[in-house]
């Protein structure tokens, strides 16, 4: 639109997509750390991006978090067939931040369906392995692995480890490895190297290469380092939806 041209946002989007060799970048104005309505704008852009990428039949894998919750708020009914699934099993989040909750809310907003994946976290190895053999569990996992669209958040490593009440050992691992960011349960540093991975089922990093579209949605200047590091290893099918505070940081250097 005219506004995007006048403010030069469209040029910044193109420059960033080229710089990080990803499919597309969408920038909303402001800083979502300081202005709550900016997160709602990220949600709105992400919801329309999901709609643009829909085929006749879809499996959409989603992660958790408050940004994804803002995306759910903006979705509207659609006649195309869509199944929402959580991207990965338990990551230690509170129920309102969990991918299962987001998947159910998105399905409700789009008049579509969803499946949940409850992974037991504090159980013996034997219990875990027999759980994994359950046909119903195996079915959800295989649905997750065939998702054509993946929508995910990105977070600051320390913030996420704290939010998940990670053990002192894991906190140390994250600190010693200089982790700056987190996505899908993977904690990574600026290089980027994976310094810690939450052990759970569902989408693994390699699986992202099979999705038609991967939509990363994250904003707020406090996440700039995390987002920059993530983009260095993001699959080329990625669309980044972020805010101007992050975009300006990413364009530097
Ligand atoms: O735990 C799910 C998750 O998507 C993380 O992978 C990500 O770091 C975080 O949530 C983002 O949360 P928020 O949108 O609340 O910052």
């Amino acid at each position: 639109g005219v506004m995007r041209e006048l403010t030069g946002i469209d040029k910044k989007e193109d420059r960033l997509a080229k710089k990080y060799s990803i499919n597309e970048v969408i920038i909303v104005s402001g800083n979502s750390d300081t202005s709550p309505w900016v997160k709602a704008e990220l949600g709105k852009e992400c919801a329309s991006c999901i709609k643009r990428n829909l085929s006749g039949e879809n499996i959409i894998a989603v992660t958790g978090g408050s940004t994804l919750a803002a995306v759910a708020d903006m979705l509207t009914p659609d006649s195309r067939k869509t199944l929402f699934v959580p991207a990965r099993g338990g990551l230690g989040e509170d129920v309102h931040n969990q991918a299962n909750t987001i998947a159910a809310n998105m399905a409700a907003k789009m008049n579509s369906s969803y499946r949940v994946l409850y992974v037991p976290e504090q159980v013996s190895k034997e219990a875990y392995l027999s759980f994994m053999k359950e046909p119903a569990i195996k079915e959800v996992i295989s649905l997750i692995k065939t998702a054509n669209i993946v929508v995910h958040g990105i977070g600051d490593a320390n913030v996420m480890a704290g939010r998940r009440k990670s053990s002192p050992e894991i906190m140390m691992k994250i600190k010693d490895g200089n982790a700056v960011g987190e996505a899908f349960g993977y904690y990574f540093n600026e290089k980027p190297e994976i310094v810690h991975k939450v052990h759970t089922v569902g989408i693994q990093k390699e699986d992202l290469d099979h999705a038609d579209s991967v939509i990363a949605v994250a904003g707020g200047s406090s996440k700039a380092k995390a987002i920059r590091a993530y983009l260095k290893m993001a699959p080329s099918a990625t669309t980044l939806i972020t805010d101007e505070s992050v975009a300006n940081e990413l364009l530097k250097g």
Side-chain angles (χ1 to χ4, degrees), residues 39 63-68 91 93 97 152-156 160 163-164 182-185 217 223:
K39 200 175 265 186
T63 67
S66 61
T67 315
L68 269 288
L91 294 180
E93 289 265 38
N97 269 325
H152 71 94
I154 302 169
D156 173 85
M160 290 315 297
R163 194 161 99 186
R164 291 172 175 158
E182 189 281 347
F184 298 103
V217 54
K223 287 188 183 181

Side-chain angles (χ1 to χ4, degrees), residues 49-82:
C49 184
I50 292 173
K51 293 263 181 157
R52 281 198 299 279
N53 283 285
L54 286 180
S55 333
E57 270 191 40
N58 308 275
I59 298 180
I60 308 185
V62 298
T63 67
S66 61
T67 315
L68 269 288
V71 178
D73 285 343
M74 297 296 177
L75 284 168
T76 53
D78 201 284
S79 60
R80 288 162 290 188
K81 210 175 160 221
T82 300

Side-chain angles (χ1 to χ4, degrees), residues 124-153:
S124 68
K125 196 164 176 216
E126 294 74 48
Y128 181 81
L129 290 176
S130 69
F131 167 86
M132 293 304 293
K133 287 193 192 116
E134 284 293 324
I137 301 301
K138 280 168 107 180
E139 196 206 330
V140 180
I141 293 172
S142 69
L143 286 171
I144 293 173
K145 299 246 179 199
T146 56
N148 58 318
I149 301 177
V150 178
V151 189
H152 71 94

Side-chain angles (χ1 to χ4, degrees), residues 27-33 219-222 224 242-250:
I27 303 170
V28 304
S29 43
N31 178 355
S32 73
D33 281 346
S221 51
S222 63
T242 193
D243 63 31
E244 228 177 341
S245 74
V246 171
N248 291 339
E249 280 304 311
L250 295 180

